[in-house]
């Protein structure tokens, strides 16, 4: 786990490394297969994702969809000008301050 600026959430969020992310991804995938459908609300089905994220990061009540984009490897290296991570590893410029790599 590492705290990085999340451009989707517009704040610094705890990001998961590949081992941590694999676990929440498994729970997230499992939530889709929960049967029988309709018996649980969406929130209940995805609760394990939120809880696992909470256990790993201490961040309480994070939306499952937000958890799924808090993966360190989805982001690029920090911008040399402003220090915020580039939005993707392939990004050619920083979307936060506009400076090129
Ligand atoms: Zn986020
Ligand atoms: Zn920048």
């Amino acid at each position: 786990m590492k705290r990085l600026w999340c451009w989707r959430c517009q704040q610094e969020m705890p990001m998961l490394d590949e081992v941590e992310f694999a676990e929440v991804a498994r729970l997230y995938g499992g939530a889709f297969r929960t049967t029988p459908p309709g018996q649980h609300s969406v929130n209940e089905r995805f609760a394990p994702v939120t809880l696992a994220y909470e256990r790993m990061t201490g961040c309480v009540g994070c939306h499952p969809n937000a958890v799924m984009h808090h993966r360190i490897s989805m982001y690029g290296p920090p911008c040399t000008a402003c220090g915020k991570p580039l939005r993707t590893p392939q990004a050619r410029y920083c979307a936060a301050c506009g400076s090129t790599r």
Side-chain angles (χ1 to χ4, degrees), residues 8-50:
R8 289 185 178 93
C9 297
Q10 291 292 300
Q11 58 182 307
E12 230 183 55
M13 294 296 293
M15 302 278 178
L16 305 177
D17 64 31
E18 290 303 282
V19 175
E20 293 163 334
F21 186 80
E23 189 179 335
V24 294
R26 188 175 52 76
L27 295 170
Y28 189 80
F32 284 107
R33 290 190 296 273
T34 304
T35 52
Q39 221 173 52
H40 301 282
S41 72
V42 171
N43 283 348
E44 284 172 44
R45 281 165 55 167
F46 286 93
V49 176
T50 297

Side-chain angles (χ1 to χ4, degrees), residues 77-87 91-101:
C79 168
T80 49
C82 71
K84 288 178 179 173
L86 300 180
R87 290 189 178 187
R92 301 212 182 155
Y93 67 93
C94 172
C97 73
S99 65
T100 50
R101 245 173 130 166

Side-chain angles (χ1 to χ4, degrees), residues 63-86:
H63 194 280
N65 289 343
V67 171
M68 296 313 285
H69 71 240
H70 292 154
R71 180 183 189 179
I72 294 167
S73 68
M74 276 175 62
Y75 295 80
C79 168
T80 49
C82 71
K84 288 178 179 173
L86 300 180

